[in-house]
């Protein structure tokens, strides 16, 4: 089945720790995205990538980092510089920027 | 820059009643328009999309939306709501230059039995 997978479903972070959220897609999409969603709020764009080895900051990139070494993978690292990381993180992909985005099931990050 | 507004933060309807969720956008050219639905703790699922052609588009789960250029709107409708439709609904606009994709703030739908 084609789709987007995110792991883990739940992730716990200790203070000062970096954690990495996984996002994999087998849709052969060029573009991939990371969004943050806080309770009762919409989606805010963290980073996006339109092609391998290239990515751009979104609206709230501070405290996050990404890599795009392979077309199918776009991991997000939440660094210790992100002081309020508790949120629901959604990964998406599309054939190209501006086109229909397809979403993974999300990862909920909690701080211990 | 593109923007999307969804004027209603929360709507409550009775099961079996009709539904209309409002979406207004700001964009200089003909936009790509989308409606997504999100159940609690889940990712977003695409309901329908408009790129061009017929301004009334049909989607999954009995939803439809109408593009009205003169009003910069893309409202979502359903003639008879089911309890399983309770969720968060997001309108989004993309551009045909492959540069931007913007989501609205969402409308939470509650359904009364």
């Amino acid at each position: 089945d084609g789709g987007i997978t995110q792991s883990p479903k739940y992730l716990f972070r200790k203070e000062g720790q970096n954690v990495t959220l996984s996002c994999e897609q087998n849709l052969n999409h060029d573009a991939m995205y990371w969004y943050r969603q806080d309770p009762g709020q919409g989606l805010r764009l963290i980073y996006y990538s339109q092609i391998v080895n290239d990515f751009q900051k979104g609206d709230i990139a501070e405290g996050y980092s990404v890599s795009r070494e392979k077309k199918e993978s776009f991991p997000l690292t939440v660094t210790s510089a992100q002081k309020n990381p508790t949120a629901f993180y959604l990964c998406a992909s599309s054939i190209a920027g501006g086109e229909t985005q397809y979403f993974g099931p999300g990862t909920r990050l909690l701080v211990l | 820059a593109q923007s999307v507004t969804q004027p209603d933060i929360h709507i409550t309807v009775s099961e079996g009643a009709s539904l209309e969720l409002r979406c207004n956008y700001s964009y200089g050219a003909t936009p790509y328009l989308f409606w997504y639905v999100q159940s609690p703790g889940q990712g977003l699922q695409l309901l329908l999309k408009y790129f061009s052609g017929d301004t009334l588009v049909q989607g999954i789960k009995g939803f439809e939306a109408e593009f009205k250029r003169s009003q910069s709107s893309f409202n979502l409708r359903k003639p008879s709501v089911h309890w399983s439709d309770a969720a968060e609904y997001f309108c989004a606009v993309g551009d045909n230059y492959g540069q931007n994709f913007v989501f609205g703030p969402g409308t939470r739908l509650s359904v009364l039995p």
Side-chain angles (χ1 to χ4, degrees), chain B residues 21-85:
Chain B
L21 301 181
R22 296 183 291 164
C23 172
N24 293 96
Y25 67 90
S26 173
Y27 182 63
T30 299
Y32 294 168
L33 294 162
F34 308 83
W35 275 101
Y36 288 85
V37 61
Q38 184 183 33
S39 297
Q42 304 294 317
L44 276 68
Q45 181 183 21
L46 180 69
L47 283 176
L48 47 79
K49 61 186 177 183
Y50 171 79
F51 282 7
S52 65
D54 192 347
T55 56
L56 183 64
V57 293
Q58 303 296 321
I60 62 171
K61 304 184 180 188
F63 285 93
E64 66 177 27
E66 186 171 14
F67 171 55
K68 293 186 177 180
R69 184 188 303 275
S70 61
Q71 298 177 20
S72 298
S73 70
F74 189 57
N75 294 349
L76 182 72
R77 301 193 294 248
K78 186 169 185 178
S80 177
V81 171
H82 188 262
W83 63 267
S84 60
D85 293 324

Side-chain angles (χ1 to χ4, degrees), chain A:
Chain A
D1 286 339
I4 302 175
T5 57
Q6 291 185 243
S7 62
K9 189 174 177 64
Y10 296 96
L11 185 58
F12 298 91
R13 191 190 92 163
K14 296 179 181 178
E15 195 166 338
Q17 184 182 40
N18 293 353
V19 293
T20 298
L21 285 62
S22 170
C23 178
E24 303 275 333
Q25 55 98 359
N26 60 5
L27 300 169
N28 200 32
H29 286 172
D30 283 315
M32 297 186 74
Y33 313 81
W34 275 105
Y35 293 92
R36 170 177 172 144
Q37 187 177 31
D38 293 281
Q41 297 192 27
L43 282 72
R44 291 186 289 171
L45 183 65
I46 305 173
Y47 269 97
Y48 65 101
S49 167
Q50 299 212 27
I51 197 168
V52 174
N53 291 323
D54 187 46
F55 48 83
Q56 288 78 42
K57 294 181 179 180
D59 301 320
I60 56 165
E62 186 174 349
Y64 300 96
S65 67
V66 294
S67 63
R68 187 87 187 275
E69 297 176 2
K70 299 186 296 182
K71 186 175 185 177
E72 58 270 23
S73 178
F74 191 41
L76 173 74
T77 296
V78 184
T79 75
S80 57
Q82 173 49 247
K83 298 306 179 188
N84 183 24
T86 298
F88 191 52
Y89 291 86
L90 288 160
C91 178
S93 70
S94 64
I95 294 174
E99 297 274 349
T100 308
Q101 292 190 13
Y102 296 91
F103 284 80
T107 292
R108 188 166 299 282
L109 177 60
L110 300 166
V111 177
L112 296 176

Side-chain angles (χ1 to χ4, degrees), chain B residues 90-110:
Chain B
F90 293 95
C91 181
V93 58
D95 69 39
N96 50 14
Y97 298 103
Q99 297 301 314
N100 292 297
F101 199 101
V102 177
F103 283 89
T107 296
R108 184 162 63 93
L109 174 66
S110 297

